[in-house]
Amino acid sequence: MAQPLMPHATASWLVDNTALSFEQIADFCGLHILEIQAIADDTAATKLTGRDPIRAHEVTQEEIDKGSADPNYRMKMIKGPEQVRRTKGPRYTPVSKRQDKPDGISWIIRNHPEITDGAIGLLIGTTRTTIAAIRDRSHWNIANITPKDPVTLGLTTQRELDAAVAKAAKAAGIEAQPDTRLEGDREALIEQLRAERIQQAREAEMIADGTMQPKPLFDDPFKR
């Protein structure tokens, strides 16, 4: 099924401007429902600027209206021009996320040893040399590498990870089991970030009405 050119930005616009369910938006944009929930809760790694799929001629208002009226309806995308895709080299990862790559690689190696180094490289956007160094623990920063779910880190999508796991399992002749071990962790992360936002809002209100003093940016070394 065709997907929007900018799925995350499109999902952000649909969350803010329609009554579609998270499941409908996830299906249309080719994303995992947890990613849509994170966007809706403003817990995505980066605050997204919405992209209107109607103006981009990717869907009609009539399709959105049908979806809003029927939660079971799956919107159909208008076939647009072929997208230009990279065919060689690793996927591009924003500079702000590159430091998270070793953690994501370590998580895949620990939880899905059946996935080949080549598949990990395509999934995370890294080199075989880096993967090998993490496997044999010769990586220069191995002491500080902590296995973390690459989906939670924003290095890949749940759909891409599931596809890689299924493909590797098939090649290895084993049955791929749905990975639900970290569902609770992701939900806990969303709840934690939501609680932090609520606490920050409360503190801002207390500072505004004078019942609380702003926290200093740094401690006064002369204050005892």
Side-chain angles (χ1 to χ4, degrees):
M1 178 180 175
Q3 296 176 2
L5 181 62
M6 300 174 65
H8 289 85
T10 300
S12 179
W13 188 92
L14 291 172
V15 166
D16 291 338
N17 296 278
T18 73
L20 296 169
S21 69
F22 288 176
E23 187 176 355
Q24 287 173 306
I25 296 173
D27 182 79
F28 179 74
C29 295
L31 302 174
H32 192 275
I33 192 169
L34 284 174
E35 294 179 90
I36 307 303
Q37 183 175 344
I39 290 172
D41 290 342
D42 291 337
T43 58
T46 317
K47 179 61 179 175
L48 299 171
T49 300
R51 179 174 184 268
D52 184 350
I54 300 175
R55 295 185 62 183
H57 304 293
E58 293 174 339
V59 71
T60 64
Q61 183 63 54
E62 288 74 18
E63 280 292 294
I64 291 178
D65 292 341
K66 288 180 182 178
S68 299
D70 180 5
N72 295 318
Y73 184 77
R74 292 297 177 261
M75 294 193 301
K76 299 177 180 61
M77 182 176 172
I78 300 173
K79 182 174 176 59
E82 291 295 324
Q83 301 176 16
V84 177
R85 300 181 182 274
R86 292 184 60 176
T87 57
K88 295 183 179 180
R91 74 165 60 196
Y92 174 77
T93 304
V95 175
S96 60
K97 291 185 179 296
R98 291 178 191 176
Q99 63 185 9
D100 295 329
K101 284 187 177 184
D103 292 344
I105 295 168
S106 180
W107 186 94
I108 294 176
I109 291 173
R110 185 185 70 177
N111 293 286
H112 296 290
E114 70 276 13
I115 299 182
T116 65
D117 288 1
I120 295 174
L122 292 174
L123 196 64
I124 302 296
T126 188
T127 64
R128 291 175 183 266
T129 301
T130 299
I131 299 170
I134 294 174
R135 277 191 186 279
D136 62 24
R137 302 190 64 79
S138 63
H139 190 278
W140 67 272
N141 196 36
I142 193 66
N144 296 315
I145 295 176
T146 304
K148 294 179 183 177
D149 181 5
V151 175
T152 301
L153 293 174
L155 297 172
T156 187
T157 67
Q158 187 67 49
R159 182 169 295 188
E160 290 173 326
L161 178 59
D162 289 345
V165 171
K167 183 176 181 180
K170 183 178 180 180
I174 59 179
E175 183 177 353
Q177 298 295 328
D179 190 355
T180 59
R181 287 170 293 178
L182 290 184
E183 289 296 317
D185 289 346
R186 292 176 189 148
E187 292 176 3
L189 175 62
I190 290 174
E191 288 299 323
Q192 177 185 347
L193 292 172
R194 182 185 293 118
E196 290 176 357
R197 290 200 311 277
I198 293 173
Q199 181 62 28
Q200 291 169 358
R202 288 175 178 170
E203 291 180 357
E205 291 177 358
M206 294 173 68
I207 292 172
D209 61 24
T211 58
M212 178 179 177
Q213 293 296 320
K215 295 179 180 180
L217 296 179
F218 52 86
D219 293 332
D220 185 349
F222 300 102
K223 186 177 181 180
R224 295 289 185 269

